Amino acid sequence: GESVGLHLPTLSVQEGDNSIINCAYSNSASDYFIWYKQESGKGPQFIIDIRSNMDKRQGQRVTVLLNKTVKHLSLQIAATQPGDSAVYFCAENQGSASKIIFGSGTRLSIRP
Amino acid sequence: NAGVTQTPKFRILKIGQSMTLQCTQDMNHNYMYWYRQDPGMGLKLIYYSVGAGITDKGEVPNGYNVSRSTTEDFPLRLELAAPSQTSVYFCASSYAVNTEAFFGQGTRLTVV
């Protein structure tokens, strides 16, 4: 869930390795989840989404896994590249509330 | 298409001043959102709108107001600026609540 008032955690990964970024969501009624990438000085950019009737979705080099039992979402990035350095946020549509709420982000740092 | 356009990009306000952050989108999206992002932190939803004439509060609405007179525009109003409102403000839009949101480049606001 969200860590109000805390700064973003950092994940450091060797270039070429796979990255796994985790997110816990709070609302069991949420039915749509999105991962965003935010580079320094820019707005968030859509990476991949998943609906609650799925538990896995794959894109190009990215996979999102959804575990509704424990309200957990993860983003896997294969063969991490320097261009993947950014802050990654998960977001959820809280059911019938018609709004997208962001979770706490993770800063991904790539080691050469 | 320009996507989501925010103006201004930067602004310095004195305590007690007021201003309007402009946001316009040319994608004919019904849903629009305002978020704030404090340094090193995640995004907090201020207000959102599901269509022209309809607005609702998000997680942190105090000190802000919005209006949605047209589909394209969703301005955010600060009436009495306070140092706590120093932040980067992002506007976003989406076709539906369970589709990806497109973000503007942000407005960096400093209140001194």
Side-chain angles (χ1 to χ4, degrees):
Chain A
E2 296 190 52
S3 299
V4 176
L6 297 179
H7 288 264
L8 300 172
T10 298
L11 173 67
S12 180
V13 175
Q14 189 80 31
E15 182 178 348
D17 287 352
N18 297 336
S19 301
I20 300 176
I21 300 170
N22 296 304
C23 176
Y25 64 93
S26 56
N27 192 331
S28 57
S30 294
D31 55 9
Y32 176 65
F33 304 88
I34 320 105
W35 279 100
Y36 285 94
K37 173 185 181 182
Q38 186 179 29
E39 296 174 292
S40 181
K42 297 183 178 180
Q45 285 183 293
F46 171 87
I47 301 173
I48 191 168
D49 59 1
I50 188 168
R51 302 185 193 284
S52 59
N53 60 352
M54 304 171 69
D55 53 20
K56 180 179 180 179
R57 189 160 189 231
Q58 288 184 294
Q60 187 177 12
R61 274 202 315 119
V62 294
T63 301
V64 55
L65 299 177
L66 175 63
N67 186 330
K68 294 182 287 295
T69 302
V70 295
K71 292 188 284 188
H72 183 269
L73 199 63
S74 69
L75 176 70
Q76 300 179 2
I77 304 174
T80 309
Q81 303 169 357
D84 295 327
S85 290
V87 177
Y88 290 81
F89 293 98
C90 64
E92 61 184 297
N93 163 26
Q94 295 194 331
S96 60
S98 299
K99 57 186 178 182
I100 302 292
I101 300 295
F102 276 70
S104 54
T106 298
R107 186 179 306 278
L108 180 63
S109 172
I110 314 301
R111 302 191 304 272
Chain B
N1 286 348
V4 179
T5 302
Q6 291 183 237
T7 56
K9 288 186 171 52
F10 304 93
R11 184 72 186 267
I12 298 175
L13 277 183
K14 293 185 178 178
I15 295 171
Q17 286 186 319
S18 62
M19 79 163 291
T20 299
L21 282 68
Q22 301 291 346
C23 175
T24 187
Q25 52 92 9
D26 61 0
M27 297 173 282
N28 201 32
H29 285 168
N30 286 320
Y31 290 75
M32 295 189 75
Y33 312 86
W34 274 107
Y35 292 89
R36 61 174 286 173
Q37 185 175 32
D38 296 338
M41 305 287 279
L43 285 83
K44 293 291 187 182
L45 181 64
I46 306 172
Y47 271 95
Y48 66 102
S49 169
V50 302
I54 306 170
T55 62
D56 209 344
K57 296 178 180 179
E59 303 169 279
V60 290
N62 291 345
Y64 307 94
N65 279 298
V66 293
S67 60
R68 186 91 182 274
S69 56
T70 65
T71 298
E72 294 78 19
D73 300 305
F74 190 39
L76 177 72
R77 179 83 178 162
L78 283 73
E79 290 293 350
L80 289 170
S84 62
Q85 293 178 305
T86 293
S87 192
V88 179
Y89 292 83
F90 288 102
C91 178
S93 74
S94 64
Y95 175 73
V97 69
N98 57 355
T99 59
E100 67 173 290
F102 295 83
F103 282 78
Q105 289 300 296
T107 295
R108 186 176 297 274
L109 176 67
T110 302
V111 182
V112 295

Coordinates of all heavy atoms in Angstrom, one line a residue, chain B residues 8-65:
Chain B
P8 N 1.0 27.2 -16.9 CA 2.4 27.3 -17.4 C 3.3 26.1 -17.0 O 2.8 25.2 -16.3 CB 2.9 28.6 -16.6 CG 2.1 28.5 -15.3 CD 0.8 27.9 -15.7
K9 N 4.5 26.1 -17.4 CA 5.4 25.0 -17.0 C 6.0 25.3 -15.7 O 6.3 24.3 -14.9 CB 6.5 24.8 -18.1 CG 6.1 24.2 -19.4 CD 7.2 24.0 -20.3 CE 6.8 23.1 -21.5 NZ 5.7 23.7 -22.2
F10 N 6.2 26.5 -15.4 CA 6.8 26.9 -14.1 C 6.1 28.2 -13.6 O 5.7 29.0 -14.4 CB 8.3 27.3 -14.2 CG 9.2 26.2 -14.8 CD1 9.4 26.2 -16.2 CD2 9.7 25.2 -14.0 CE1 10.2 25.1 -16.7 CE2 10.5 24.2 -14.5 CZ 10.8 24.2 -15.9
R11 N 6.0 28.3 -12.3 CA 5.4 29.5 -11.7 C 5.9 29.6 -10.2 O 6.0 28.6 -9.5 CB 3.9 29.4 -11.7 CG 3.2 30.6 -11.2 CD 3.3 31.8 -12.2 NE 2.7 33.0 -11.6 CZ 1.4 33.4 -11.8 NH1 0.6 32.6 -12.5 NH2 1.0 34.4 -11.2
I12 N 6.2 30.8 -9.9 CA 6.5 31.1 -8.4 C 5.4 32.1 -7.9 O 5.1 33.1 -8.6 CB 7.9 31.8 -8.3 CG1 9.0 30.9 -8.8 CG2 8.1 32.2 -6.8 CD1 10.4 31.5 -8.8
L13 N 4.8 31.7 -6.9 CA 3.7 32.5 -6.3 C 4.1 32.9 -4.9 O 4.8 32.2 -4.2 CB 2.4 31.6 -6.1 CG 1.5 31.5 -7.3 CD1 0.3 30.6 -6.8 CD2 1.0 32.8 -7.8
K14 N 3.6 34.1 -4.5 CA 3.7 34.5 -3.1 C 2.6 33.9 -2.2 O 1.5 33.7 -2.8 CB 3.8 36.0 -3.0 CG 5.0 36.6 -3.6 CD 5.1 38.1 -3.4 CE 6.4 38.7 -4.1 NZ 6.4 40.1 -3.9
I15 N 2.8 33.8 -1.0 CA 1.8 33.3 -0.1 C 0.5 34.2 -0.2 O 0.6 35.4 -0.1 CB 2.3 33.2 1.4 CG1 3.4 32.2 1.5 CG2 1.2 32.9 2.4 CD1 4.1 32.2 2.8
G16 N -0.6 33.5 -0.3 CA -1.9 34.3 -0.4 C -2.3 34.7 -1.8 O -3.5 35.0 -2.0
Q17 N -1.4 34.5 -2.8 CA -1.8 34.8 -4.2 C -2.7 33.7 -4.7 O -2.7 32.6 -4.1 CB -0.6 35.0 -5.0 CG 0.1 36.3 -4.8 CD 1.3 36.5 -5.8 OE1 2.0 35.6 -6.1 NE2 1.4 37.8 -6.3
S18 N -3.3 34.0 -5.8 CA -4.1 32.9 -6.4 C -3.6 32.7 -7.9 O -3.0 33.6 -8.5 CB -5.6 33.3 -6.4 OG -5.8 34.5 -7.2
M19 N -4.0 31.6 -8.4 CA -3.6 31.3 -9.8 C -4.4 30.1 -10.3 O -5.0 29.4 -9.6 CB -2.1 31.0 -10.0 CG -1.7 29.6 -9.6 SD -0.1 29.2 -10.3 CE -0.4 29.1 -12.0
T20 N -4.5 30.0 -11.7 CA -5.1 28.9 -12.3 C -4.1 28.2 -13.2 O -3.4 28.8 -14.0 CB -6.3 29.4 -13.2 OG1 -7.3 30.1 -12.4 CG2 -7.0 28.2 -13.9
L21 N -4.1 26.9 -12.9 CA -3.3 26.0 -13.8 C -4.2 25.5 -14.9 O -5.3 25.0 -14.6 CB -2.7 24.8 -13.0 CG -1.5 25.0 -12.1 CD1 -1.9 25.9 -10.9 CD2 -1.0 23.7 -11.6
Q22 N -3.7 25.7 -16.1 CA -4.5 25.3 -17.3 C -4.2 23.9 -17.7 O -3.0 23.5 -17.7 CB -4.3 26.3 -18.4 CG -4.6 27.7 -18.1 CD -6.1 27.9 -17.9 OE1 -7.0 27.1 -18.2 NE2 -6.5 29.1 -17.3
C23 N -5.2 23.2 -18.2 CA -5.0 21.8 -18.8 C -6.0 21.7 -19.9 O -7.2 21.9 -19.7 CB -5.2 20.8 -17.7 SG -5.1 19.1 -18.4
T24 N -5.5 21.3 -21.0 CA -6.4 21.0 -22.2 C -6.0 19.8 -22.9 O -4.8 19.5 -22.9 CB -6.5 22.2 -23.1 OG1 -7.5 22.0 -24.1 CG2 -5.1 22.4 -23.8
Q25 N -6.9 19.0 -23.4 CA -6.6 17.8 -24.1 C -7.4 17.8 -25.4 O -8.6 18.2 -25.5 CB -6.9 16.5 -23.3 CG -8.2 16.4 -22.6 CD -9.3 15.7 -23.4 OE1 -9.0 15.1 -24.5 NE2 -10.5 15.7 -23.0
D26 N -6.8 17.2 -26.5 CA -7.5 17.2 -27.8 C -7.8 15.8 -28.2 O -7.9 15.5 -29.4 CB -6.6 17.9 -28.8 CG -5.2 17.2 -29.0 OD1 -5.0 16.2 -28.3 OD2 -4.4 17.7 -29.8
M27 N -8.0 14.9 -27.3 CA -8.3 13.5 -27.6 C -9.8 13.1 -27.4 O -10.1 12.0 -27.5 CB -7.4 12.6 -26.8 CG -5.9 12.8 -27.1 SD -4.8 11.9 -26.0 CE -4.8 13.0 -24.5
N28 N -10.6 14.1 -27.0 CA -12.0 13.9 -26.8 C -12.2 12.9 -25.6 O -13.2 12.2 -25.7 CB -12.7 13.5 -28.0 CG -14.2 13.7 -28.0 OD1 -14.6 14.7 -27.3 ND2 -15.0 12.9 -28.6
H29 N -11.3 13.0 -24.6 CA -11.5 12.1 -23.5 C -12.5 12.7 -22.5 O -12.6 13.9 -22.2 CB -10.1 12.0 -22.8 CG -9.2 11.1 -23.5 ND1 -7.8 11.0 -23.2 CD2 -9.3 10.2 -24.5 CE1 -7.2 10.1 -24.0 NE2 -8.1 9.7 -24.8
N30 N -13.3 11.8 -22.0 CA -14.3 12.2 -21.0 C -13.6 12.4 -19.6 O -14.0 13.3 -18.9 CB -15.4 11.1 -20.8 CG -16.3 11.2 -22.0 OD1 -16.7 12.2 -22.5 ND2 -16.7 10.0 -22.5
Y31 N -12.7 11.5 -19.2 CA -12.1 11.5 -17.9 C -10.9 12.4 -17.8 O -10.0 12.3 -18.7 CB -11.7 10.1 -17.5 CG -12.9 9.2 -17.2 CD1 -13.7 8.7 -18.2 CD2 -13.3 8.9 -15.9 CE1 -14.8 7.9 -18.0 CE2 -14.4 8.1 -15.6 CZ -15.1 7.6 -16.7 OH -16.2 6.8 -16.5
M32 N -10.8 13.3 -16.8 CA -9.7 14.1 -16.6 C -9.3 14.2 -15.1 O -10.2 14.0 -14.3 CB -9.9 15.5 -17.2 CG -10.0 15.6 -18.7 SD -10.0 17.2 -19.4 CE -8.3 17.6 -19.3
Y33 N -8.0 14.3 -14.9 CA -7.6 14.2 -13.5 C -6.5 15.3 -13.2 O -5.8 15.7 -14.1 CB -6.9 12.9 -13.3 CG -7.7 11.7 -13.7 CD1 -7.5 11.2 -15.1 CD2 -8.5 10.9 -12.9 CE1 -8.2 10.1 -15.5 CE2 -9.2 9.8 -13.3 CZ -9.0 9.4 -14.7 OH -9.7 8.3 -15.1
W34 N -6.4 15.7 -12.0 CA -5.3 16.5 -11.5 C -4.6 15.8 -10.3 O -5.3 15.4 -9.4 CB -5.8 17.9 -11.0 CG -5.9 18.9 -12.0 CD1 -7.1 19.4 -12.6 CD2 -4.8 19.6 -12.7 NE1 -6.8 20.4 -13.5 CE2 -5.4 20.5 -13.6 CE3 -3.5 19.6 -12.5 CZ2 -4.6 21.4 -14.4 CZ3 -2.7 20.4 -13.3 CH2 -3.3 21.3 -14.2
Y35 N -3.3 15.7 -10.5 CA -2.5 15.1 -9.4 C -1.4 16.1 -9.0 O -1.0 17.0 -9.8 CB -1.8 13.9 -9.9 CG -2.7 12.7 -10.3 CD1 -3.2 12.6 -11.6 CD2 -2.9 11.7 -9.3 CE1 -4.0 11.5 -11.9 CE2 -3.7 10.6 -9.6 CZ -4.3 10.5 -10.9 OH -5.1 9.4 -11.2
R36 N -1.0 16.0 -7.8 CA 0.2 16.7 -7.3 C 1.3 15.7 -6.9 O 1.0 14.6 -6.4 CB -0.1 17.6 -6.2 CG -0.6 17.0 -4.9 CD -0.7 18.1 -3.8 NE 0.6 18.4 -3.3 CZ 0.8 19.4 -2.4 NH1 -0.3 20.1 -2.0 NH2 2.0 19.7 -1.9
Q37 N 2.5 16.1 -7.2 CA 3.6 15.2 -6.8 C 4.7 16.0 -6.1 O 5.3 16.9 -6.7 CB 4.3 14.5 -8.1 CG 5.3 13.5 -7.8 CD 5.9 12.8 -9.0 OE1 5.9 13.4 -10.1 NE2 6.3 11.6 -8.8
D38 N 4.9 15.7 -4.8 CA 5.9 16.4 -4.0 C 7.2 15.7 -4.3 O 7.3 14.6 -4.7 CB 5.5 16.3 -2.5 CG 4.2 17.0 -2.2 OD1 3.8 17.9 -3.0 OD2 3.6 16.7 -1.2
P39 N 8.3 16.5 -4.1 CA 9.7 15.9 -4.4 C 9.9 14.6 -3.8 O 9.8 14.3 -2.6 CB 10.6 17.0 -3.8 CG 9.8 18.3 -3.8 CD 8.4 17.8 -3.5
G40 N 10.3 13.6 -4.7 CA 10.7 12.3 -4.2 C 9.5 11.5 -3.8 O 9.7 10.4 -3.2
M41 N 8.3 11.9 -4.1 CA 7.1 11.2 -3.6 C 6.3 10.7 -4.8 O 6.6 10.9 -6.0 CB 6.3 12.1 -2.7 CG 7.1 12.7 -1.6 SD 7.5 11.5 -0.3 CE 5.9 11.5 0.6
G42 N 5.2 10.0 -4.5 CA 4.2 9.6 -5.5 C 3.2 10.6 -5.8 O 3.3 11.8 -5.4
L43 N 2.2 10.2 -6.6 CA 1.2 11.2 -7.1 C -0.1 11.1 -6.3 O -0.5 9.9 -6.0 CB 0.8 10.9 -8.6 CG 1.9 11.3 -9.6 CD1 2.9 10.3 -9.8 CD2 1.2 11.5 -11.0
K44 N -0.6 12.2 -5.9 CA -1.8 12.2 -5.1 C -2.9 12.9 -5.9 O -2.7 14.0 -6.5 CB -1.6 13.1 -3.8 CG -0.7 12.4 -2.8 CD -1.3 11.2 -2.2 CE -0.4 10.6 -1.1 NZ -0.9 9.3 -0.6
L45 N -4.1 12.3 -6.0 CA -5.2 12.8 -6.8 C -5.9 13.9 -6.0 O -6.3 13.8 -4.9 CB -6.2 11.6 -7.0 CG -7.4 12.0 -7.8 CD1 -7.0 12.3 -9.3 CD2 -8.4 10.8 -7.8
I46 N -6.0 15.1 -6.7 CA -6.6 16.3 -6.2 C -8.1 16.3 -6.5 O -8.9 16.3 -5.6 CB -5.9 17.5 -6.7 CG1 -4.4 17.5 -6.5 CG2 -6.5 18.8 -6.0 CD1 -3.6 18.6 -7.1
Y47 N -8.4 16.3 -7.8 CA -9.8 16.3 -8.3 C -9.8 15.5 -9.6 O -8.8 15.4 -10.2 CB -10.2 17.8 -8.6 CG -10.9 18.5 -7.4 CD1 -10.2 19.4 -6.6 CD2 -12.2 18.4 -7.2 CE1 -10.8 20.0 -5.6 CE2 -12.9 19.0 -6.1 CZ -12.1 19.9 -5.4 OH -12.7 20.6 -4.3
Y48 N -11.0 15.1 -9.9 CA -11.2 14.4 -11.2 C -12.5 14.7 -11.7 O -13.4 15.3 -11.0 CB -11.0 12.9 -11.1 CG -12.0 12.2 -10.2 CD1 -13.0 11.4 -10.8 CD2 -11.9 12.2 -8.8 CE1 -13.9 10.8 -10.1 CE2 -12.8 11.5 -8.1 CZ -13.8 10.8 -8.7 OH -14.7 10.1 -7.9
S49 N -12.7 14.4 -13.0 CA -13.9 14.7 -13.7 C -14.3 13.6 -14.7 O -13.4 13.1 -15.4 CB -13.8 16.1 -14.5 OG -14.9 16.2 -15.3
V50 N -15.5 13.2 -14.7 CA -15.9 12.1 -15.6 C -16.6 12.6 -16.8 O -17.1 11.8 -17.7 CB -16.8 11.1 -14.9 CG1 -16.1 10.5 -13.7 CG2 -18.1 11.7 -14.5
G51 N -16.7 13.9 -17.0 CA -17.3 14.5 -18.1 C -17.6 16.0 -17.9 O -17.5 16.5 -16.7
A52 N -17.9 16.7 -19.0 CA -18.2 18.1 -18.8 C -19.3 18.3 -17.8 O -20.3 17.7 -17.8 CB -18.6 18.7 -20.2
G53 N -19.1 19.3 -16.9 CA -20.1 19.6 -15.9 C -20.0 18.8 -14.6 O -20.8 19.0 -13.7
I54 N -19.2 17.8 -14.6 CA -19.1 16.9 -13.5 C -17.7 16.8 -12.9 O -16.7 16.5 -13.6 CB -19.5 15.4 -13.9 CG1 -20.9 15.4 -14.6 CG2 -19.5 14.5 -12.7 CD1 -21.2 14.1 -15.2
T55 N -17.6 17.1 -11.6 CA -16.3 17.1 -11.0 C -16.4 16.4 -9.6 O -17.5 16.4 -9.0 CB -15.6 18.4 -10.8 OG1 -16.4 19.2 -9.9 CG2 -15.4 19.1 -12.1
D56 N -15.3 15.9 -9.1 CA -15.4 15.2 -7.8 C -14.1 15.3 -7.1 O -13.0 15.4 -7.8 CB -15.9 13.8 -7.9 CG -16.6 13.3 -6.6 OD1 -16.5 14.0 -5.6 OD2 -17.3 12.3 -6.7
K57 N -14.1 15.2 -5.8 CA -12.8 15.3 -5.0 C -12.1 14.0 -5.0 O -12.6 12.9 -5.1 CB -13.2 15.7 -3.5 CG -13.8 17.0 -3.3 CD -14.2 17.2 -1.9 CE -14.9 18.6 -1.7 NZ -15.2 18.8 -0.3
G58 N -10.7 14.2 -5.0 CA -9.8 13.1 -4.9 C -9.3 12.9 -3.5 O -10.1 13.1 -2.5
E59 N -8.0 12.6 -3.3 CA -7.5 12.3 -2.0 C -7.1 13.6 -1.3 O -7.2 13.6 0.0 CB -6.2 11.5 -2.2 CG -6.4 10.2 -2.9 CD -5.0 9.5 -3.3 OE1 -4.4 10.0 -4.3 OE2 -4.6 8.7 -2.5
V60 N -6.7 14.6 -2.0 CA -6.2 15.8 -1.3 C -6.8 17.1 -2.0 O -6.1 17.9 -2.5 CB -4.6 15.9 -1.4 CG1 -4.0 14.8 -0.5 CG2 -4.1 15.7 -2.8
P61 N -8.1 17.3 -1.8 CA -8.7 18.5 -2.5 C -8.6 19.8 -1.8 O -8.9 20.8 -2.4 CB -10.2 18.0 -2.6 CG -10.3 17.2 -1.3 CD -9.0 16.5 -1.2
N62 N -8.3 19.8 -0.5 CA -8.3 21.1 0.2 C -7.4 22.1 -0.3 O -6.2 21.8 -0.6 CB -8.0 20.8 1.7 CG -9.1 20.0 2.4 OD1 -10.2 19.9 1.8 ND2 -8.8 19.5 3.5
G63 N -7.9 23.3 -0.5 CA -7.1 24.4 -1.1 C -7.1 24.6 -2.6 O -6.5 25.5 -3.1
Y64 N -7.9 23.7 -3.2 CA -8.0 23.7 -4.7 C -9.5 23.7 -5.1 O -10.4 23.3 -4.4 CB -7.4 22.5 -5.3 CG -6.0 22.3 -4.8 CD1 -5.7 21.4 -3.8 CD2 -4.9 22.9 -5.5 CE1 -4.4 21.2 -3.4 CE2 -3.6 22.6 -5.1 CZ -3.3 21.8 -4.0 OH -2.0 21.6 -3.6
N65 N -9.7 24.2 -6.3 CA -11.0 24.1 -6.9 C -10.9 23.8 -8.4 O -9.8 24.2 -9.0 CB -11.8 25.4 -6.8 CG -12.5 25.5 -5.4 OD1 -13.3 24.7 -5.1 ND2 -12.1 26.5 -4.7

